[in-house]
Amino acid sequence: MRRVQPRRLSRNRDNTSILSGHAYTLELLSGSDRQCIELMRMSCEAYLRLCIHFRQRLWLQDSRHVSIEEKIAMFLTIIGHNGRYIVIKRRFQHSSEIVHKYFHEVLNAMMKFAKEVIVPTTFDPNPDIPENNRMLRRVFKVLVGALDGTLVHAVIPITQQTAYRGRGKGKCYQNVLGICDFNMIFTFVWAGWEGVAHDARVLTEIMAELNNGFPFPPPNKYYLCDVAYAKTRGFLAPYRNVRYWLGDFRRRRAMTKEEKFNHAHAKLRNVIERAYGVLKARFPILDKMAIMTQISIKDINYGKMIAIV
């Protein structure tokens, strides 16, 4: 008997845009730098150099239907605009599964890339302190950067939300420790700690593990930190129980030597606050992560996603 082949069901095409994801990526690359910066948060030249670097390092490879350039474009669009998978699916003409797969593929590559670029370039006193704070170098001659923690929104499984909920109006956050120089360039970032964890505990645990690669300053060099951290070798904290925050000095100028020290300290340490502010404004996914782009606990523990961007 002749074997009857089963009839293959016709598949309804879901994505019907004329412009495919590959064509859209080429349009970005051939367009203006302004368009590329607005959509992917970097210039065309920087974007191409990033793709070439990932290809040479073999961190990413072209798949049958999706190139490295398109994978990174989807990733940057998501983190740059907190885009949902459904939006990226329609824009790049791929299924949600494909978008999810390549998002995490690029994320893993970015983790490796972060270990290369987020490193201290030098421990010499930074000569590029802003002009209005340059006179403060007479007081702080051996500073190499500023250190502080911040809360970054995270989507956590229900069974683990208790440890991550706190200090954030009931939302789940991870506590991120960062160090930057006076050019607002991050030199160390570690993410993944629970939102309820104290900043001092995070720093202590990170320094205790040598594999974390914490950049200890050399002798007689210091990081600026606030009163949440202990004043020990390598960490210069302000006087306790003395006015410190810049807002405290708006109505009445510093009078005592302790207040003058704290005022100068706050002016310089404010660079880490501005760095966090610029980062969160540029990448809204750090402030409110979409449910559809949630990152697993395993990804969070690898840390350093914040500093990539």
Side-chain angles (χ1 to χ4, degrees):
M1 295 179 63
R2 183 179 178 181
R3 187 175 181 179
V4 179
Q5 295 290 338
R7 180 178 297 179
R8 182 175 298 176
L9 297 176
S10 60
R11 180 180 178 183
N12 295 328
R13 183 177 175 84
D14 191 22
N15 295 317
T16 57
S17 175
I18 299 176
L19 199 64
S20 65
H22 178 69
Y24 175 71
T25 304
L26 292 178
E27 183 184 71
L28 285 177
L29 294 176
S30 60
S32 64
D33 261 1
R34 182 178 179 84
Q35 175 180 254
C36 203
I37 291 173
E38 288 178 350
L39 294 177
M40 295 193 295
R41 303 308 192 195
M42 63 175 59
S43 64
C44 292
E45 180 184 0
Y47 171 67
L48 287 175
R49 291 175 62 183
L50 183 68
C51 296
I52 292 172
H53 185 74
F54 278 30
R55 181 176 278 109
Q56 291 176 342
R57 290 283 187 169
L58 301 179
W59 292 338
L60 291 175
Q61 295 180 351
D62 296 322
S63 62
R64 183 177 180 182
H65 300 291
V66 184
S67 64
I68 291 177
E69 288 76 13
E70 189 175 350
K71 293 178 183 179
I72 296 180
M74 289 191 291
F75 176 85
L76 294 177
T77 304
I78 289 175
I79 68 170
H81 301 276
N82 198 16
R84 273 63 171 173
Y85 284 166
I86 190 65
V87 176
I88 307 302
K89 165 188 173 181
R90 298 303 181 187
R91 177 60 277 174
F92 288 88
Q93 300 293 288
H94 296 298
S95 66
S96 299
E97 291 79 7
I98 292 295
V99 175
H100 177 273
K101 174 184 176 181
Y102 291 134
F103 174 83
H104 285 271
E105 184 178 313
V106 178
L107 177 61
N108 291 332
M110 286 290 181
M111 299 299 180
K112 301 175 184 178
F113 182 57
K115 295 179 181 179
E116 288 189 355
V117 298
I118 311 173
V119 293
T121 55
T122 178
F123 281 114
D124 293 332
N126 195 321
D128 297 326
I129 292 178
E131 182 70 29
N132 57 340
N133 289 333
R134 194 162 292 173
M135 293 183 60
L136 299 177
R137 292 178 59 192
R138 299 177 183 176
V139 182
F140 303 98
K141 298 180 180 180
V142 290
L143 299 179
V144 293
L147 176 148
D148 199 8
T150 188
L151 295 179
V152 174
H153 185 254
V155 178
I156 307 296
I158 296 178
T159 56
Q160 303 179 35
Q161 286 186 359
T162 302
Y164 287 86
R165 183 178 286 116
R167 293 198 296 167
K169 299 179 180 179
K171 299 179 182 178
C172 292
Y173 289 89
Q174 55 175 316
N175 197 334
V176 178
L177 175 71
I179 301 174
C180 76
D181 60 18
F182 294 102
N183 292 322
M184 298 175 62
I185 297 177
F186 284 97
T187 58
F188 178 80
V189 172
W190 193 264
W193 279 86
E194 301 88 343
V196 297
H198 193 274
D199 292 343
R201 181 199 168 196
V202 174
L203 177 61
T204 302
E205 294 292 337
I206 292 175
M207 292 192 300
E209 182 60 48
L210 297 180
N211 294 331
N212 293 335
F214 184 85
F216 289 94
N220 300 323
K221 301 291 179 66
Y222 298 92
Y223 291 125
L224 287 177
C225 56
D226 60 21
V227 293
Y229 303 93
K231 186 183 294 185
T232 59
R233 187 185 69 82
F235 302 93
L236 186 61
Y239 286 100
R240 294 179 180 272
N241 302 321
V242 178
R243 284 190 301 162
Y244 175 70
W245 304 107
L246 294 178
D248 297 337
F249 296 96
R250 290 175 182 172
R251 293 187 177 181
R252 185 168 62 90
R253 64 186 181 89
M255 303 297 293
T256 65
K257 63 179 182 179
E258 290 82 6
E259 289 185 348
K260 291 178 180 180
F261 177 89
N262 279 9
H263 192 202
H265 187 289
K267 284 184 177 180
L268 286 179
R269 198 199 64 85
N270 192 50
V271 66
I272 186 69
E273 303 287 354
R274 291 187 288 114
Y276 282 138
V278 170
L279 191 66
K280 291 183 178 181
R282 193 173 183 85
F283 296 93
I285 192 173
L286 300 176
D287 185 56
K288 176 60 178 176
M289 188 179 298
I291 299 296
M292 293 298 293
T293 56
Q294 58 182 303
I295 301 174
S296 66
I297 293 294
K298 179 181 178 182
D299 294 326
I300 291 176
N301 288 335
Y302 279 117
K304 297 194 175 183
M305 177 182 173
I306 180 177
I308 299 169
V309 296

